[in-house]
Amino acid sequence: MKSASPLPSFGRDMSESSSIPRHIAIIMDGNGRWAKERGKPRISGHRAGAESVRECVEGCKQLGVEFLTLYAFSSENWNRPAAEITALMALLERFLEEKAGELMEQNVRLQAIGHLERLPVRTRRKLDKAIERTSGNTSLTLILALSYGAREEIVEAARSLAADAVAGKIDPAKIDNATFASRLYTAEIPDPDLLIRTSGELRVSNFLLWQISYAEIVIFKKFWPDFHQADLNEAVEEYSRRHRRFGGL
Ligand code: IPE
Ligand code: IPE
Ligand code: MG
């Protein structure tokens, strides 16, 4: 276990400050390139990335962040070679098995968003078990985005509203932002305040398109396995310097 890096102080107690994002969302990118640079197979990059996840969970807990959403597998990632998908699912299963106890100790509640029914049965079972086991925990909520695509999420929300309208259960004229948001996977979760992406790519890759409308974005050039607690703290420090206007002045 790597030792925790010191918290940024900003001259005040950060846990008491609104400069701490309530919800951080992360596009964990660059595992494959990290491995390639080392002449290793891509899966070893994914394996190394799992350690960064652990550090991030710990870092968010220490900062007093309430929600952490991690983009772990996109709808489009199903187009990758079968061997990489199988290895990723095996890694996820191991993570769920090994980390469930740790999440209990840390009082972290696990949740998942995405087309979870597309996951292999065994993976899904382990995921459900970990979610169930940690459901009463009250510190950080860790949300894994798995088989997740924002466009599908939005289409499903539209479809469910349309079905209710046809059935006469809802008046189309009364559908507003809040009604729509209540049909998304993230209905119970506040929008991300801070969006982090590693590996230097300047795109959102079908992640939380509705929810990140006003998120502050911080990009790191480094690959995900090189992302440590100090980087998380740096991103939060950068966030605290931003002036969020939400279209106002
Ligand atoms: C992110 O790393 C993890 C997943 C998408 C599952 P990548 O696998 O995308 O690694 P790069 O971006 O190809 O280096
Ligand atoms: C985004 O990374 C998905 C995850 C981090 C799970 P990708 O590597 O799949 O995205 P692109 O292909 O660079 O847009
Ligand atoms: Mg990538």
Side-chain angles (χ1 to χ4, degrees):
M1 183 167 141
K2 293 202 181 80
S3 64
S5 43
L7 290 178
S9 69
F10 313 145
R12 59 187 181 274
D13 177 358
M14 287 186 55
S15 61
E16 296 296 317
S17 161
S18 61
S19 60
I20 298 295
R22 246 190 115 187
H23 184 174
I24 298 180
I26 308 184
I27 302 174
M28 312 184 288
D29 196 24
N31 292 351
R33 280 165 282 173
W34 182 91
K36 194 172 178 211
E37 266 187 2
R38 288 160 180 75
K40 293 180 177 172
R42 291 178 60 84
I43 190 65
S44 79
H46 296 313
R47 217 174 287 126
E51 172 59 18
S52 301
V53 169
R54 199 201 58 74
E55 283 197 42
C56 261
V57 170
E58 183 55 35
C60 282
K61 265 206 64 168
Q62 288 183 17
L63 289 165
V65 171
E66 290 174 59
F67 299 89
L68 170 65
T69 302
L70 299 176
Y71 204 6
F73 193 84
S74 75
S75 310
E76 290 73 24
N77 290 152
W78 289 114
N79 299 324
R80 293 193 179 189
E84 181 170 347
I85 294 174
T86 307
L88 271 169
M89 292 302 148
L91 192 61
L92 174 61
E93 286 171 28
R94 181 133 45 91
F95 176 87
L96 291 167
E97 264 171 359
E98 287 175 3
K99 301 286 165 177
E102 210 174 294
L103 296 178
M104 287 307 291
E105 277 166 34
Q106 294 172 305
N107 196 17
V108 174
R109 177 170 66 140
L110 182 70
Q111 292 190 343
I113 54 171
H115 255 183
L116 305 179
E117 57 285 350
R118 271 190 88 179
L119 297 173
V121 177
R122 204 176 54 184
T123 314
R124 178 76 197 271
R125 214 180 293 131
K126 289 185 177 161
L127 178 65
D128 287 344
K129 208 167 140 198
I131 289 172
E132 169 63 27
R133 188 170 167 207
T134 61
S135 61
N137 290 347
T138 53
S139 68
L140 176 71
T141 298
L142 169 64
I143 303 146
L144 296 181
L146 291 166
S147 189
Y148 175 86
R151 286 181 169 178
E152 287 91 326
E153 180 184 32
I154 290 169
V155 167
E156 276 175 34
R159 202 185 292 128
S160 91
L161 286 167
D164 279 2
V166 167
K169 289 191 213 155
I170 192 166
D171 174 0
K174 294 214 170 87
I175 297 172
D176 58 10
N177 285 353
T179 324
F180 200 88
S182 74
R183 303 289 171 116
L184 298 171
Y185 303 141
T186 50
E188 309 291 324
I189 301 163
D191 287 343
D193 304 291
L194 170 61
L195 174 69
I196 297 171
R197 181 165 187 151
T198 54
S199 92
E201 309 290 0
L202 302 177
R203 55 177 174 261
V204 290
S205 302
N206 204 13
F207 189 43
L208 300 175
L209 297 182
W210 170 283
Q211 298 88 338
I212 60 170
S213 292
Y214 275 100
E216 295 294 328
I217 301 175
V218 177
I219 304 286
F220 284 81
K221 284 234 163 69
K222 58 175 68 179
F223 299 135
W224 176 248
D226 289 328
F227 189 87
H228 298 299
Q229 209 171 325
D231 301 307
L232 178 79
N233 290 341
E234 189 187 316
V236 170
E237 194 167 346
E238 164 72 27
Y239 169 86
S240 75
R241 284 194 294 265
R242 302 267 179 96
H243 177 209
R244 301 181 82 186
R245 284 190 292 273
F246 300 97
L249 291 177

Coordinates of all heavy atoms in Angstrom, one line a residue, residues 26-30 33 42 70-77 80 145 148 197 199 201 203-207, ligand 2:
I26 N -14.4 10.5 -13.0 CA -13.0 10.3 -13.7 C -13.1 9.4 -14.9 O -13.6 8.3 -14.8 CB -12.0 9.8 -12.6 CG1 -12.0 10.6 -11.4 CG2 -10.6 9.7 -13.3 CD1 -10.9 10.2 -10.4
I27 N -12.5 9.9 -16.0 CA -12.3 9.0 -17.2 C -10.9 8.5 -17.0 O -9.9 9.2 -17.3 CB -12.5 9.8 -18.5 CG1 -13.9 10.5 -18.5 CG2 -12.3 8.9 -19.7 CD1 -14.1 11.4 -19.7
M28 N -10.8 7.2 -16.6 CA -9.6 6.6 -16.3 C -9.0 6.1 -17.6 O -9.2 5.0 -18.0 CB -9.8 5.4 -15.3 CG -10.6 5.8 -14.1 SD -10.8 4.4 -12.9 CE -11.8 3.2 -13.8
D29 N -8.2 6.9 -18.3 CA -7.7 6.5 -19.6 C -6.2 6.4 -19.6 O -5.5 7.0 -18.9 CB -8.1 7.6 -20.6 CG -8.0 7.1 -22.0 OD1 -8.1 5.9 -22.3 OD2 -7.9 7.9 -23.0
G30 N -5.7 5.5 -20.5 CA -4.3 5.4 -20.8 C -3.6 4.1 -20.3 O -2.4 4.0 -20.3
R33 N -1.6 2.4 -23.1 CA -0.3 3.1 -23.5 C 0.7 3.0 -22.4 O 1.9 2.9 -22.7 CB -0.7 4.6 -23.8 CG -1.2 4.7 -25.3 CD -1.9 6.0 -25.5 NE -3.2 6.1 -24.9 CZ -3.9 7.2 -24.8 NH1 -3.5 8.3 -25.2 NH2 -5.1 7.1 -24.2
R42 N -1.4 -5.1 -22.6 CA -2.3 -4.0 -22.2 C -2.9 -4.4 -20.8 O -3.1 -3.5 -20.0 CB -3.4 -3.9 -23.2 CG -3.0 -3.3 -24.5 CD -4.2 -3.2 -25.5 NE -5.3 -2.4 -25.0 CZ -5.4 -1.1 -25.1 NH1 -4.4 -0.4 -25.7 NH2 -6.4 -0.4 -24.5
L70 N -16.4 6.4 -11.5 CA -15.2 6.0 -12.3 C -15.7 5.3 -13.6 O -16.5 4.4 -13.5 CB -14.4 5.0 -11.5 CG -13.8 5.5 -10.2 CD1 -13.0 4.4 -9.4 CD2 -12.9 6.7 -10.4
Y71 N -15.2 5.8 -14.7 CA -15.6 5.3 -16.0 C -14.7 4.0 -16.2 O -13.5 4.2 -16.5 CB -15.3 6.3 -17.1 CG -16.1 6.1 -18.4 CD1 -17.1 5.2 -18.5 CD2 -15.9 7.0 -19.4 CE1 -17.8 5.1 -19.7 CE2 -16.6 6.9 -20.6 CZ -17.5 5.9 -20.8 OH -18.2 5.8 -21.9
A72 N -15.2 2.9 -16.0 CA -14.4 1.7 -16.0 C -14.5 0.9 -17.3 O -13.5 0.2 -17.7 CB -14.7 0.8 -14.8
F73 N -15.7 1.0 -17.9 CA -15.9 0.2 -19.2 C -17.0 0.8 -19.9 O -18.2 0.9 -19.4 CB -16.2 -1.3 -18.8 CG -16.1 -2.2 -20.0 CD1 -14.8 -2.7 -20.4 CD2 -17.2 -2.5 -20.7 CE1 -14.8 -3.6 -21.5 CE2 -17.1 -3.4 -21.8 CZ -15.9 -3.9 -22.2
S74 N -16.8 1.3 -21.1 CA -17.8 2.0 -21.9 C -18.6 1.0 -22.8 O -18.1 -0.1 -23.1 CB -17.2 3.1 -22.7 OG -16.5 2.5 -23.9
S75 N -19.7 1.5 -23.3 CA -20.5 0.7 -24.2 C -19.6 0.3 -25.4 O -19.7 -0.8 -26.0 CB -21.7 1.4 -24.8 OG -22.4 2.0 -23.7
E76 N -18.8 1.3 -25.8 CA -18.0 1.1 -27.0 C -16.8 0.2 -26.8 O -16.2 -0.4 -27.7 CB -17.5 2.5 -27.5 CG -18.5 3.4 -28.1 CD -19.5 4.0 -27.1 OE1 -19.1 4.1 -25.9 OE2 -20.6 4.3 -27.5
N77 N -16.4 0.0 -25.5 CA -15.3 -0.9 -25.2 C -15.7 -2.4 -25.5 O -14.8 -3.2 -25.6 CB -14.9 -0.7 -23.7 CG -14.2 0.6 -23.4 OD1 -14.3 1.1 -22.3 ND2 -13.5 1.2 -24.4
R80 N -13.7 -4.0 -28.3 CA -12.3 -4.4 -28.2 C -12.2 -5.9 -28.4 O -13.2 -6.6 -28.4 CB -11.8 -4.0 -26.8 CG -11.7 -2.4 -26.7 CD -10.9 -2.0 -25.5 NE -10.9 -0.6 -25.4 CZ -10.1 0.1 -24.6 NH1 -9.3 -0.5 -23.8 NH2 -10.1 1.4 -24.6
A145 N -19.0 3.0 -13.5 CA -19.7 3.1 -14.8 C -19.2 1.9 -15.6 O -18.0 1.8 -16.0 CB -19.4 4.4 -15.5
Y148 N -21.2 1.3 -19.8 CA -21.9 2.6 -19.7 C -21.7 3.4 -21.0 O -20.6 3.6 -21.5 CB -21.4 3.4 -18.5 CG -22.0 4.8 -18.5 CD1 -23.3 5.0 -17.9 CD2 -21.5 5.9 -19.2 CE1 -23.9 6.2 -17.9 CE2 -22.1 7.1 -19.2 CZ -23.3 7.3 -18.6 OH -23.9 8.5 -18.6
R197 N -9.8 13.7 -16.5 CA -9.5 12.7 -17.5 C -8.0 12.6 -17.5 O -7.3 13.6 -17.6 CB -10.0 13.0 -18.9 CG -9.6 11.9 -19.9 CD -10.4 12.0 -21.2 NE -10.0 10.8 -22.0 CZ -10.8 10.2 -22.9 NH1 -12.0 10.7 -23.2 NH2 -10.4 9.1 -23.6
S199 N -4.4 10.8 -19.4 CA -3.8 10.5 -20.7 C -3.9 11.6 -21.8 O -3.6 11.4 -22.9 CB -4.4 9.2 -21.3 OG -5.5 9.4 -22.1
E201 N -6.1 13.2 -23.4 CA -7.2 13.3 -24.5 C -8.2 14.4 -24.1 O -8.6 14.4 -23.0 CB -7.9 12.0 -24.7 CG -7.0 10.7 -24.9 CD -6.3 10.7 -26.2 OE1 -6.4 11.7 -27.0 OE2 -5.6 9.7 -26.5
R203 N -11.4 14.8 -24.8 CA -12.8 14.5 -25.2 C -13.5 13.7 -24.0 O -12.8 13.3 -23.1 CB -12.7 13.6 -26.4 CG -11.9 12.3 -26.3 CD -12.0 11.5 -27.5 NE -11.0 10.3 -27.5 CZ -9.8 10.3 -28.1 NH1 -9.4 11.3 -28.8 NH2 -9.1 9.3 -27.9
V204 N -14.8 13.6 -24.1 CA -15.6 13.0 -23.0 C -16.0 11.6 -23.3 O -16.5 10.9 -22.4 CB -16.8 13.9 -22.6 CG1 -16.3 15.2 -21.9 CG2 -17.7 14.2 -23.8
S205 N -15.8 11.1 -24.6 CA -16.0 9.7 -24.9 C -17.3 9.1 -24.3 O -17.3 8.1 -23.7 CB -14.8 8.9 -24.4 OG -13.6 9.4 -25.0
N206 N -18.5 9.8 -24.5 CA -19.8 9.3 -24.2 C -20.0 9.0 -22.7 O -20.6 8.1 -22.3 CB -20.0 8.0 -25.0 CG -21.5 7.6 -25.2 OD1 -22.4 8.5 -25.0 ND2 -21.8 6.4 -25.6
F207 N -19.4 9.9 -21.9 CA -19.5 9.8 -20.4 C -20.4 10.8 -19.8 O -20.1 12.0 -20.0 CB -18.1 9.9 -19.8 CG -17.9 9.5 -18.4 CD1 -18.6 8.5 -17.8 CD2 -17.1 10.3 -17.6 CE1 -18.5 8.1 -16.5 CE2 -17.0 10.0 -16.2 CZ -17.6 8.9 -15.7
Ligands
IPE2 C1 -13.0 6.0 -22.2 O1 -11.8 5.6 -22.7 C2 -13.7 4.8 -21.5 C3 -13.1 4.5 -20.2 C4 -12.1 5.1 -19.6 C5 -13.7 3.3 -19.6 P1 -11.6 5.1 -24.2 O2 -10.2 4.8 -24.3 O3 -12.5 4.0 -24.4 O4 -12.0 6.3 -25.0 P2 -11.5 6.8 -26.4 O5 -11.6 5.6 -27.4 O6 -10.1 7.3 -26.2 O7 -12.4 7.9 -26.8

